[in-house]
């Protein structure tokens, strides 16, 4: 029977692959039904069953490789390689991957955590994410109307060049946004290193604040990060400016902070100018109010005199009428 089956299969005109698959299927069915003994089945089964198994293994291996690549690719995409910290009063940090997309956002203080609950920045470009953050901060009342708010930006990347490039793009977008919103604020844009960022996060502060406090420490070693970690950025800038006036540039030790020193001095002058303008406005308002009060008191005095001696004003009125007739 088996010999006849094999002979008939050899006479069939069809593609070899189809004949092999058909022969394999029939043999397997006969073997399962008990019509073919195991020895015969093992002898007569197509020789390329091993090839078939190899194809299955190759297919499974390919699928496994694709899964590994997919998982590895996702891991690569979701891994930040550079960071941006923002300090207004809310402090947040954005992580940016190798494809220039935001893949993480973390609130560094309580206000930052609360603000991040109101918007999403995942997969946005760093500039779009920065704009979203500043808009939300403004709408939540964190940017004062007098222009005294400092928006501190610090970019950290693998190289100084990349850090500066990232900082320039972000600060430029924020300044353009403030103009579009007709909102005044001071943008304090600086760069840092990944090592500074690492140390900052250990202490629970932003990389921008860590760099500022490190600079202050170079000017006055008695200053500690713990001492000023809860201060807002405008206060740190003013304190740093006072240290510059007291100790100078800080010598060779502070050379790496040259850009920071220039920005501190310029920003401190802006803050002082805003404060003087605000004080002058308050004084002018007080003067205006004083003039109004003086006029009110004079009018009240005339009204009181009129009520206390109505005949006097009546006589004056009659006299004026008589003069008019003449």
């Amino acid at each position: 029977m088996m010999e006849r089956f094999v002979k008939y299969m050899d006479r069939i005109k069809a593609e070899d692959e189809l004949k092999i698959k058909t022969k394999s299927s029939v043999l397997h069915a006969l073997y399962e039904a008990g019509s073919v003994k195991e020895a015969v089945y093992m002898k007569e089964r197509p020789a390329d069953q091993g090839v078939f198994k190899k194809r299955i293994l190759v297919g499974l291996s390919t699928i496994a490789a694709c899964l590994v690549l997919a998982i590895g690719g996702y891991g690569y995409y979701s891994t930040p390689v550079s960071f941006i910290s923002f300090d207004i009063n809310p402090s947040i940090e954005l992580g940016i991957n190798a494809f220039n997309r935001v893949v993480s956002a973390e609130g560094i203080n309580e206000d930052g955590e609360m603000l991040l609950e109101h918007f999403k920045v995942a997969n946005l470009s760093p500039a779009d994410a920065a704009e979203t953050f500043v808009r939300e901060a403004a709408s939540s009342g964190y940017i004062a109307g007098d222009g005294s708010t400092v928006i501190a930006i610090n970019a950290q990347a693998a190289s100084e060049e990349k850090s500066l490039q990232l900082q320039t793009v972000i600060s430029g977008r924020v300044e353009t946004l403030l103009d579009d919103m007709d909102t005044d604020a001071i943008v304090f844009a600086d760069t840092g290193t990944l090592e500074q960022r690492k140390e900052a996060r250990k202490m629970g502060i932003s990389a921008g604040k860590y760099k500022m406090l490190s600079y202050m420490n170079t000017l006055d070693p008695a200053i500690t990060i713990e001492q000023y970690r809860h201060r807002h950025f405008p206060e740190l800038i003013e304190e740093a400016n006072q240290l510059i006036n007291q100790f100078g540039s800080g010598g060779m030790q502070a050379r790496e902070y040259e850009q920071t020193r220039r920005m501190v001095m310029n920003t401190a002058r802006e803050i002082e100018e805003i404060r003087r303008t605000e004080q002058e406005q308050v004084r002018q308002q007080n003067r205006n109010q004083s003039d109004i009060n003086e006029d009110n008191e004079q009018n009240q005095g005339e009204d009181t005199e009129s009520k206390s001696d109505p005949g006097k004003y009546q006589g004056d009125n009659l006299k004026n009428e008589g003069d008019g007739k003449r």
Side-chain angles (χ1 to χ4, degrees), residues 86-90 115 130-152 174-175 177-179 181-187 234 274:
F86 296 89
D87 291 279
I88 299 180
N89 173 32
L115 195 65
E131 179 174 326
T132 302
F133 167 66
V134 173
R135 283 188 184 278
E136 189 63 35
S139 64
S140 299
Y142 288 109
I143 298 180
D146 60 3
S148 62
T149 300
V150 174
I151 302 175
V174 171
E175 289 173 348
L177 172 64
L178 292 172
D179 288 340
M181 295 170 59
D182 196 20
T183 300
D184 291 328
I186 300 171
V187 177
I274 291 171

Side-chain angles (χ1 to χ4, degrees), residues 192-225:
T193 65
L194 294 176
E195 184 62 30
Q196 287 174 337
R197 183 255 171 191
K198 182 179 179 181
E199 293 300 318
R201 298 318 311 274
K202 287 180 182 178
M203 298 180 177
I205 60 177
S206 70
K209 182 175 285 189
Y210 177 86
K211 183 173 182 179
M212 177 62 70
L213 293 175
S214 298
Y215 174 54
M216 292 167 62
N217 178 258
T218 65
L219 297 174
D220 183 3
I223 288 179
T224 64
I225 292 178

Side-chain angles (χ1 to χ4, degrees), residues 222-241:
I223 288 179
T224 64
I225 292 178
E226 188 62 33
Q227 182 181 359
Y228 288 92
R229 59 177 297 169
H230 297 296
R231 298 283 189 91
H232 293 163
F233 228 90
E235 298 175 288
L236 296 181
I237 290 172
E238 292 182 289
E239 182 71 23
N241 190 55

Side-chain angles (χ1 to χ4, degrees), residues 3 12 17 58 104 116 159 224 237 243 252 318:
E3 292 178 357
I12 295 175
E17 184 177 358
V58 170
S104 67
L116 281 174
S159 68
T224 64
I237 290 172
L243 293 173
M252 295 291 292
L318 291 173

Side-chain angles (χ1 to χ4, degrees), residues 85-122:
S85 69
F86 296 89
D87 291 279
I88 299 180
N89 173 32
S91 294
I92 71 167
E93 179 187 82
L94 303 180
I96 302 152
N97 67 9
F99 303 97
N100 200 40
R101 285 292 179 268
V102 174
V103 291
S104 67
E106 184 178 355
I108 299 176
N109 61 6
E110 185 175 352
D111 287 333
E113 292 175 353
M114 292 176 60
L115 195 65
L116 281 174
E117 294 178 358
H118 295 86
F119 65 95
K120 302 296 182 183
V121 293

